Amino acid sequence: MSDDVKGVVEEYASSEEGKDKVPNLNANVSARIKNPLLGIPEEQLMADVEQFAREKDMEDILPLLKHGAIAAQNPLDFETQKGLTGEERDVLRYEITHKWKQPRSLYFTIILCSIGAAVQGWDQTGSNGANLSFPEEFGIGTNSTKDTFLVGLVNAAPYIASSFLGCWISDPLNNWLGRRGCIFFSAVFCVLAPIGGAFTQTWEELFVTRLLLGIGMGSKASTVPIFSAENSPAMIRGSLVMCWQMWTAFGIFLGFCANLAVMNTGRISWRLQIGSAFIPAVPLLIGIYMCPESPRWYMKKNRYRNAYNSLLRLRNHPLQAARDLYYIHAQLQVEAEFIGKSTYISRFFELFTIPRVRRATLASFTVMIAQQMCGINIIAFYSSTVFKEGGASEKGALLASWGFGLVNFLFAFPALRTIDTFGRRSLLLFTFPQMAWTLLAAGFCFLIPRESKAHLGLVALFVFLFGAFYSPGEGPVPFTYSAEVFPLSHREVGMAWAVATCLFWAAVLSITFPRMLTVMTPTGAFGFYAGLNIVALVMIFFWVPETKQRTLEELDYIFAVPTSKHASYQLTTWLPYFIKRYIFLDKTAHLEPLYHFEGVAADESQLDLRETHFQEKS
């Protein structure tokens, strides 16, 4: 920890008042979300900024850094804060009233990286359609247990490679090459591996090319959401990072479109379906170095000038860049005091030993494994097979799968607004019960006689409804959530853990579901996953804190709250309030908040009031 912040923090923490007021980042029993600059006298703050500027060789922008520190010290009261000019107040006011007015470089970064996410979705649906023909091409098209396993193994190959290798190499790649370098590395694999898969002559060759694809998919999925989260302002971070999932859904839809487009090309149809997944990785490969590097990665490497230059491209005004630079720096110093430095191996074990990090590990594990427990990938991987089991022709199965892809993509759009207003946790708590009953209903519809026209129609209807509830909830939340919950010191290895969890269980699902269909029938398999939705709902209720509207560094305080305190609050305070307010419609019901904010940016309700106030004044 540098002397400029460390001295003040230690002096304050050692005082009687400080012992009660400074939250412990490993045991924040008071549930305070605290601005580390709050309460520092103006003279001391200015001296700290001067020392920071000298240490980081940034004295040429010292006046701007001082104004940025003033804005960061009390972001709620910039209207009356001394030391800011009228123009600077206008900039900070505009930031609240026009939160979607962001620089082109920020939107270019988000869009480009999100397009790369389409590789994940496109590959899922490419293999989905190819399942109808490649097994026969390679002589594994029988219904024997061995052949069913081999088909599942080929489909699971990218997820096996991702969970055991691709995700985990993202940490050293990020360390050596930066966020952009790691993404470029992954894009190379995502371009070449699908093309190679299209030319394979045996199932073993296809399996190997899909393993290589998994290396790219894993390192990309572990880095792109982090890159987007670190570049985005807190108020709209969820909406921007969730573009990853929206483009994954779009990739699923495009993959279904490609399946239909090449359906009548004969024996090469599956090759085109597998090979076409390289397309969305091309713009990512070409354009990634046109994006600004993550400011937080530069700060981790002590390259503060580069971090400031990146922030200038990612924020509308130099004051915002200076403010965010100093505020992030101050938070990182506090974080370093509780976490310290470590090696790659020790960082992995610290995911489970440092209390603040362990809680993030548990929460990210929960949202990631829930994505597989909810059953989305039994549709994404095997919808063509499922609809064919429901009595559809090959063309009908592909058309029904295309419809599911369209629903999955269109219903991702509502989350652009709700993920930062309704919140990550709230979206999950609302959508999981809906996914449970729609999946169960789809399973029971398989019991309708196949001769009935209602059989296939109702199966498709409830599968589409399932997709409509998944897309704005469990669809965008896991990758967005996991990218933001870990401290900077453990962000890469933490995200690798989260993505490896998701993709490992995706591989398990891919291998086991063909056999489940045979042994349990579609009704039993769908009912099994409907039950897992309820299990996931309970896990989320107790273990997943809300993260909306907080900066990445402020989340240290959220995850410093003991899990037992969070779980107890949900059971004894939030649940009774919910029942009174929304079941018995008692409008007088009052919810005592869990978190107490001290000098940090306002939550959504406060921002709405301030935005209305500023608009009325103007």
Side-chain angles (χ1 to χ4, degrees):
M1 178 182 268
S2 64
D3 294 338
D4 56 342
V5 176
K6 183 178 181 180
V8 176
V9 171
E10 289 180 345
E11 180 181 353
Y12 185 59
S14 63
S15 68
E16 288 303 316
E17 179 187 13
K19 290 177 182 177
D20 179 60
K21 292 292 186 180
V22 175
N24 184 320
L25 291 194
N26 282 325
N28 184 13
V29 293
S30 62
R32 288 187 175 92
I33 315 303
K34 185 176 176 62
N35 183 338
L37 303 177
L38 185 67
I40 299 177
E42 180 182 356
E43 183 178 346
Q44 180 65 54
L45 180 65
M46 294 301 100
D48 292 343
V49 175
E50 290 174 3
Q51 182 176 346
F52 168 78
R54 286 194 300 271
E55 290 179 355
K56 307 305 179 185
D57 194 23
M58 303 182 73
E59 292 179 282
D60 55 311
I61 60 167
L62 179 58
L64 187 61
L65 286 172
K66 287 183 174 181
H67 286 214
I70 291 171
Q73 186 179 39
N74 199 341
L76 303 180
D77 295 321
F78 62 83
E79 292 283 5
T80 58
Q81 193 85 354
K82 294 180 180 179
L84 297 176
T85 67
E87 178 194 356
E88 289 169 341
R89 288 192 176 92
D90 289 340
V91 168
L92 296 174
R93 191 181 306 117
Y94 187 86
E95 180 180 42
I96 294 173
T97 58
H98 298 79
K99 62 184 179 182
W100 288 100
K101 296 289 186 180
Q102 300 293 336
R104 292 181 179 178
S105 291
L106 175 61
Y107 284 122
F108 176 78
T109 299
I110 299 299
I111 292 171
L112 182 73
C113 292
S114 300
I115 289 174
V119 173
Q120 251 87 337
W122 199 317
D123 174 72
Q124 286 179 14
T125 49
S127 60
N128 186 319
N131 284 334
L132 299 178
S133 50
F134 90 80
E136 295 182 8
E137 175 88 7
F138 293 149
I140 55 174
T142 69
N143 289 324
S144 70
T145 301
K146 177 183 176 182
D147 284 357
T148 301
F149 172 78
L150 291 179
V151 172
L153 186 65
V154 170
N155 283 319
Y159 308 100
I160 295 171
S162 292
S163 59
F164 286 102
L165 180 60
C167 294
W168 300 107
I169 64 173
S170 66
D171 184 293
L173 286 174
N174 272 278
N175 183 50
W176 299 329
L177 306 176
R179 309 284 189 247
R180 295 179 301 179
C182 182
I183 294 170
F184 180 85
F185 169 89
S186 68
V188 172
F189 281 84
C190 291
V191 168
L192 298 180
I195 296 174
F199 290 96
T200 54
Q201 301 301 313
T202 65
W203 74 262
E204 292 91 346
E205 292 176 359
L206 180 59
F207 178 71
V208 170
T209 61
R210 290 178 61 74
L211 287 175
L212 294 174
L213 174 62
I215 295 174
M217 285 172 53
S219 56
K220 178 164 61 66
S222 299
T223 304
V224 167
I226 290 177
F227 186 49
S228 299
E230 291 183 341
N231 285 359
S232 301
M235 284 194 297
I236 58 172
R237 185 181 64 243
S239 298
L240 296 182
V241 180
M242 73 137 291
C243 289
W244 164 272
Q245 172 60 28
M246 192 169 71
W247 278 90
T248 300
F250 188 54
I252 290 173
F253 173 65
L254 290 178
F256 283 130
C257 291
N259 289 348
L260 284 170
V262 303
M263 180 181 63
N264 295 320
T265 55
R267 294 183 62 183
I268 66 168
S269 62
W270 72 267
R271 298 182 181 277
L272 297 175
Q273 290 164 345
I274 291 284
S276 60
F278 85 93
I279 295 173
V282 173
L284 184 67
L285 184 69
I286 295 172
I288 187 59
Y289 277 102
M290 300 178 190
C291 303
E293 181 58 274
S294 163
R296 287 173 172 85
W297 182 83
Y298 277 135
M299 294 171 75
K300 189 176 183 179
K301 296 296 182 180
N302 201 30
R303 296 165 60 180
Y304 276 73
R305 175 68 66 175
N306 296 110
Y308 176 67
N309 290 336
S310 279
L311 283 167
L312 287 176
R313 296 179 62 187
L314 295 166
R315 301 294 183 264
N316 286 316
H317 192 276
L319 175 70
Q320 294 168 304
R323 176 201 62 193
D324 289 356
L325 182 76
Y326 193 73
Y327 185 67
I328 294 169
H329 167 72
Q331 291 277 21
L332 290 178
Q333 304 315 298
V334 177
E335 177 185 297
E337 182 76 4
F338 287 90
I339 295 178
K341 296 182 179 180
S342 53
T343 64
Y344 179 31
I345 300 299
S346 64
R347 281 197 301 276
F348 173 77
F349 288 105
E350 286 168 355
L351 292 177
F352 312 98
T353 57
I354 296 178
R356 180 264 178 264
V357 184
R358 184 174 65 238
R359 296 180 194 112
T361 303
L362 175 62
S364 65
F365 168 83
T366 300
V367 296
M368 282 297 195
I369 197 171
Q371 193 169 75
Q372 305 310 321
M373 293 170 72
C374 78
I376 183 61
N377 282 331
I378 67 176
I379 311 299
F381 294 166
Y382 293 108
S383 63
S384 298
T385 304
V386 166
F387 288 127
K388 200 167 183 182
E389 286 277 338
S393 64
E394 181 172 333
K395 181 179 180 180
L398 290 175
L399 281 171
S401 296
W402 178 87
F404 170 77
L406 180 61
V407 168
N408 190 31
F409 173 57
L410 292 179
F411 279 85
F413 280 94
L416 285 171
R417 171 64 180 172
T418 56
I419 197 168
D420 280 317
T421 54
F422 199 49
R424 285 76 152 149
R425 171 185 168 85
S426 299
L427 282 173
L428 297 180
L429 293 178
F430 170 73
T431 55
F432 263 88
Q434 319 310 323
M435 290 190 289
W437 75 260
T438 51
L439 205 58
L440 187 62
F444 280 129
C445 287
F446 278 95
L447 299 177
I448 299 173
R450 294 182 64 167
E451 298 77 21
S452 171
K453 293 182 179 180
H455 177 92
L456 181 58
L458 287 175
V459 169
L461 171 64
F462 286 112
V463 167
F464 290 176
L465 285 174
F466 169 79
F469 285 118
Y470 166 84
S471 293
E474 181 61 12
V477 168
F479 283 86
T480 302
Y481 192 88
S482 299
E484 61 193 10
V485 298
F486 292 96
L488 181 60
S489 57
H490 292 70
R491 193 161 292 152
E492 296 92 343
V493 71
M495 189 63 178
W497 154 265
V499 177
T501 297
C502 180
L503 298 184
F504 171 77
W505 289 104
V508 171
L509 183 150
S510 180
I511 293 172
T512 59
F513 189 68
R515 186 62 182 164
M516 286 178 68
L517 278 179
T518 302
V519 175
M520 301 173 64
T521 74
T523 300
F526 275 50
F528 174 79
Y529 279 99
L532 289 183
N533 273 273
I534 302 303
V535 175
L537 175 67
V538 174
M539 294 166 61
I540 290 163
F541 181 80
F542 286 112
W543 295 340
V544 176
E546 183 57 77
T547 60
K548 69 170 184 173
Q549 299 294 330
R550 304 270 59 85
T551 70
L552 295 178
E553 288 68 39
E554 287 165 2
L555 291 178
D556 283 332
Y557 301 107
I558 297 287
F559 286 94
V561 175
T563 303
S564 58
K565 181 179 180 66
H566 176 270
S568 175
Y569 171 84
Q570 304 306 326
L571 188 62
T572 62
T573 305
W574 185 89
L575 187 59
Y577 162 78
F578 179 85
I579 293 172
K580 290 178 183 178
R581 179 66 183 86
Y582 296 103
I583 305 299
F584 295 110
L585 302 179
D586 181 1
K587 294 183 179 181
T588 65
H590 171 71
L591 178 64
E592 183 67 29
L594 172 61
Y595 304 112
H596 306 281
F597 302 102
E598 298 181 6
V600 299
D603 64 18
E604 180 66 22
S605 60
Q606 292 172 299
L607 287 170
D608 284 343
L609 290 174
R610 298 179 71 208
E611 183 173 349
T612 302
H613 171 70
F614 290 140
Q615 289 173 345
E616 287 175 351
K617 283 185 65 176
S618 62

